[in-house]
Amino acid sequence: MEEFLDGTAVRLSPDRTVRLRELLEFWAQDVARLAAETEGAVEGSGRSGRWNAYDMAGALYVRDRVEREIEAAPEELREALALAVRGADERYRSFTEDDPRMLVARNAGDKVEDQGWWWKRLPVAGPVRDDALEYGRWLDTDG
């Protein structure tokens, strides 16, 4: 498993490739940041400060990529990979709640059908939630 994590290259863009282990770490780091946002532990505004719904969407795209890599892995490694991401997934679930409107996905302009469960969650507090709910209010009046 360790060899697979370190030896599997994941192309994120034409000019950026990372190891699968790094991709899993990116998801864990994004979850930690979203948790800090939810807990009010991040000061400031803008990209260097507090995150918004677009930033959360970026994190969820990372989780999408993790899922694609799990599905593409040799069958005998899929369960171990799912276990490797479970801790971050459980933490993510701990500070989010169901969002049947899928406001983050809709705000990012994504189709909401066939999205992973992580797209159907919204932080229980914080600036990402506030931003997504503001978008929801716009949908209710103008969208």
Side-chain angles (χ1 to χ4, degrees):
M1 171 73 168
E2 298 300 315
E3 186 176 313
F4 186 77
L5 288 172
D6 291 326
T8 300
V10 179
R11 188 174 180 154
L12 299 179
S13 69
D15 58 344
R16 184 156 190 221
T17 301
V18 299
R19 295 173 295 132
L20 181 54
R21 178 183 305 281
E22 291 174 292
L23 186 66
L24 296 177
E25 290 168 359
F26 292 161
W27 171 237
Q29 291 165 4
D30 286 346
V31 167
R33 174 59 188 257
L34 286 164
E37 294 281 352
T38 301
E39 296 162 2
V42 178
E43 297 294 324
S45 62
R47 186 66 183 142
S48 63
R50 301 178 76 173
W51 276 14
N52 60 32
Y54 290 108
D55 296 305
M56 182 172 173
L60 300 180
Y61 290 131
V62 170
R63 182 60 180 85
D64 285 345
R65 188 56 189 262
V66 167
E67 191 66 18
R68 285 195 304 273
E69 293 301 320
I70 292 170
E71 291 170 1
E75 189 171 341
E76 66 272 11
L77 294 177
R78 289 181 194 152
E79 186 175 334
L81 287 170
L83 284 172
V85 76
R86 184 176 292 164
D89 284 351
E90 288 176 358
R91 184 169 187 202
Y92 178 72
R93 282 186 178 103
S94 76
F95 63 85
T96 60
E97 63 186 9
D98 288 338
D99 176 22
R101 294 181 71 192
M102 296 179 65
L103 293 173
V104 173
R106 292 171 72 188
N107 191 29
D110 286 351
K111 293 181 179 180
V112 295
E113 301 85 20
D114 302 322
Q115 294 283 12
W117 63 263
W118 45 94
W119 284 96
K120 300 173 179 89
R121 313 274 308 163
L122 190 64
V124 297
V128 172
R129 179 185 184 82
D130 295 344
D131 190 45
L133 292 177
E134 182 177 323
Y135 177 72
R137 286 189 292 277
W138 177 83
L139 286 176
D140 292 342
T141 60
D142 295 331

